[in-house]
Amino acid sequence: MPHYLLAYVISVRTLKLIRSFLNAGVMENGVVNPTTEGTPQGGPLSPLLSNIVLDDLDRELERRGLCFARYADDCNIYVRSQRAAQRVMTGISRFITEKLKLKVNEDKSAVARPWGRKFLAFSFTANKEPKRRLSPQALKRFKKRIREITRCTRTVNVRRMIDDLRRYINGWRGYFGFCQTPSILQHLDQWIRRRLRCVVWRHWKRGRTRYAALRKLGVGRSSAAKTAGSACGPWRISRIPALNQALPMALLASLGLTSLVPTTA
């Protein structure tokens, strides 16, 4: 363990806990393998060590009178011009490398406008009064996970699929619901409902089954026959009024589907 940690952490119990984390190893394919460097990914140890080691960085930034936001090893520094930003980045990188003996991740470090960067998976709009928005990377990860849950090849029924969606959406919304661009959340809600309608359409399989299901869900004879006999693919079908009438928002909500848009009391 680096000696400079001992200067900050004087609790023997805490030091033993940190060492236990570092020596715990990682499980790969059911087998625990020893670790020779680094910390367990996704665990609470990394933020703890970051706060200990980077305390000097906070003090240095405060000494220079800079505006900044830091969480664990993710840090944004805000200045008024690109020239000032280049100067600060050079100086702070040198401080981190020479004083703290740490390596700066060059791939993730850059000088840019606030709306061109992300912080804790959030970014900002370029408005006169900036608003918090989801970063492109966060949106990409979200859509990837939703596609995994709602893929048509899953051998589960729609209720089970919606249960999986609800658990993931509730956790995701607890963090990302903090954004100030509800139109994006509304668009994602619509996209999720379309994917569910695609799944249901595929589960019905044959034209006769589709026609009967649409009629049972209140769609008129002519509209049900036209929709059931359509040669369009599931994604295009999911926008047809008949399927939206058969599987409206209220029905999907009654099955347990939750919305991404936070509700106000």
Side-chain angles (χ1 to χ4, degrees):
M1 183 178 299
H3 293 297
Y4 55 79
L5 282 183
L6 301 178
Y8 290 98
V9 184
I10 58 175
S11 169
V12 175
R13 186 176 181 181
T14 302
L15 290 173
K16 287 183 177 180
L17 182 61
I18 291 173
R19 183 172 293 280
S20 296
F21 265 105
L22 294 174
N23 294 335
V26 294
M27 180 173 289
E28 298 176 341
N29 299 322
V31 179
V32 178
N33 297 316
T35 53
T36 57
E37 61 181 7
T39 60
Q41 187 175 3
L45 183 60
S46 183
L48 172 63
L49 295 181
S50 296
N51 285 334
I52 294 172
V53 175
L54 296 179
D55 183 64
D56 281 342
L57 174 62
D58 293 345
R59 295 177 185 274
E60 178 66 15
L61 294 173
E62 290 172 352
R63 186 185 68 80
R64 298 188 184 196
L66 296 170
C67 295
F68 68 97
R70 182 181 69 80
Y71 182 87
D73 60 348
D74 197 355
C75 183
N76 279 8
I77 304 172
Y78 304 99
V79 294
R80 292 183 177 274
S81 68
Q82 184 174 359
R83 184 177 179 181
Q86 294 287 1
R87 184 178 66 251
V88 169
M89 183 173 178
T90 301
I92 294 301
S93 295
R94 185 183 302 115
F95 175 84
I96 293 173
T97 302
E98 297 178 359
K99 180 66 183 296
L100 301 183
K101 308 300 182 184
L102 300 173
K103 184 178 180 181
V104 177
N105 189 329
E106 301 291 345
D107 294 334
K108 295 184 178 180
S109 302
V111 171
R113 295 286 190 178
W115 50 86
R117 302 294 293 170
K118 68 179 181 68
F119 183 64
L120 303 179
F122 284 97
S123 185
F124 297 98
T125 61
N127 302 338
K128 186 176 180 180
E129 294 185 4
K131 294 183 179 181
R132 293 181 301 274
R133 66 178 177 89
L134 303 176
S135 70
Q137 296 88 336
L139 282 174
K140 185 177 180 180
R141 288 194 298 269
F142 174 80
K143 286 193 169 185
K144 179 181 178 182
R145 181 57 182 149
I146 295 298
R147 287 189 181 100
E148 291 173 352
I149 296 174
T150 59
R151 70 180 186 273
C152 295
T153 56
R154 288 190 68 193
T155 56
V156 297
N157 59 35
V158 176
R159 286 183 179 273
R160 167 65 186 279
M161 196 173 286
I162 290 178
D163 284 342
D164 294 342
L165 278 173
R166 184 180 66 251
R167 285 192 290 270
Y168 177 70
I169 288 173
N170 286 342
W172 190 90
R173 186 181 59 186
Y175 183 84
F176 289 103
F178 187 60
C179 78
Q180 297 174 308
T181 51
S183 60
I184 295 178
L185 300 182
Q186 292 167 0
H187 172 75
L188 291 174
D189 268 344
Q190 295 171 0
W191 178 72
I192 291 171
R193 290 194 294 269
R194 283 193 67 184
R195 288 197 61 84
L196 283 174
R197 290 179 183 123
C198 285
V199 170
V200 173
W201 188 252
R202 285 182 180 272
H203 283 183
W204 287 343
K205 294 183 179 179
R206 291 179 291 273
R208 183 176 296 180
T209 305
R210 289 168 175 172
Y211 174 80
L214 290 172
R215 291 287 294 133
K216 185 177 180 180
L217 291 170
V219 180
R221 291 179 181 273
S222 176
S223 183
K226 184 178 179 180
T227 303
S230 174
C232 295
W235 186 245
R236 290 188 63 185
I237 287 289
S238 66
R239 296 191 65 179
I240 290 179
L243 196 57
N244 280 263
Q245 179 186 343
L247 302 171
M249 292 173 53
L251 177 60
L252 295 177
S254 69
L255 295 175
L257 183 65
T258 55
S259 173
L260 290 169
V261 182
T263 56
T264 55

